[in-house]
Amino acid sequence: MVPMPINDMPWWRWRANVRSALHMLSDQDFQREYWAAGTAGYGDVTDAVYRLVEDTWLDNWSAEKYVGTIFRDSREAALVDVAVLRVLRIMHQVGADSPVSAYMENHAWPEAVRAAREAHVRLAESDGDDPDTPPRSLEVLAIMTGTA
């Protein structure tokens, strides 16, 4: 697949938010260095889950609904669905406002991180981005999406 810029998608701002959330949820080093350390500018795990499902309602229906608007194809949508389900299951177990340590210590967290990583890599590569760059701050995300 030829990489495309993120803003070629009709709902690219929503895609940017989903990608940002998946990126943070997929990187345990980031989670330790920023979330667990309380570093300002990157939100927390609850914020990432909110960005993942806020506008998309992916907590209520499949990402397949957004193929062609947020997601490029059914494969992206399927990977996002798996990540959303795994992360939400843990959030419901530990509580939405729990500290990141409650998520990271959950027995299912490594599998949720793996699912988020698979989705993140697919979306980043489809957009022509390096999936291994560090996550951007929420300020940079806001500037990128014009919500700053």
Side-chain angles (χ1 to χ4, degrees), residues 9 63-75 77:
M9 297 300 295
E64 183 70 27
K65 179 179 181 105
Y66 298 112
V67 169
T69 55
I70 298 174
F71 306 111
R72 295 185 189 284
D73 55 39
S74 292
R75 181 70 181 139

Side-chain angles (χ1 to χ4, degrees), residues 28-43:
Q28 287 183 302
D29 290 336
F30 165 83
Q31 294 163 15
R32 282 188 293 276
E33 293 173 24
Y34 290 87
W35 286 345
T39 304
Y42 293 89

Side-chain angles (χ1 to χ4, degrees), residues 29-138:
D29 290 336
F30 165 83
Q31 294 163 15
R32 282 188 293 276
E33 293 173 24
Y34 290 87
W35 286 345
T39 304
Y42 293 89
D44 60 18
V45 67
T46 302
D47 175 69
V49 174
Y50 185 69
R51 275 181 286 120
L52 186 60
V53 300
E54 172 188 18
D55 292 323
T56 60
W57 286 49
L58 293 176
D59 52 340
N60 291 306
W61 50 63
S62 172
E64 183 70 27
K65 179 179 181 105
Y66 298 112
V67 169
T69 55
I70 298 174
F71 306 111
R72 295 185 189 284
D73 55 39
S74 292
R75 181 70 181 139
E76 281 187 358
L79 291 169
V80 169
D81 279 340
V82 171
V84 166
L85 291 173
R86 294 218 166 102
V87 170
L88 288 177
R89 184 177 303 127
I90 295 168
M91 184 185 78
H92 292 303
Q93 289 173 359
V94 302
D97 294 325
S98 293
V100 69
S101 60
Y103 288 82
M104 292 174 68
E105 293 167 4
N106 185 286
H107 71 280
W109 190 245
E111 190 59 27
V113 168
R114 186 196 58 73
R117 173 73 182 168
E118 288 179 10
H120 161 66
V121 167
R122 175 74 182 214
L123 272 68
E125 289 177 347
S126 292
D127 292 340
D129 293 333
D130 179 357
D132 294 321
T133 60
R136 295 178 176 109
S137 70
L138 296 181

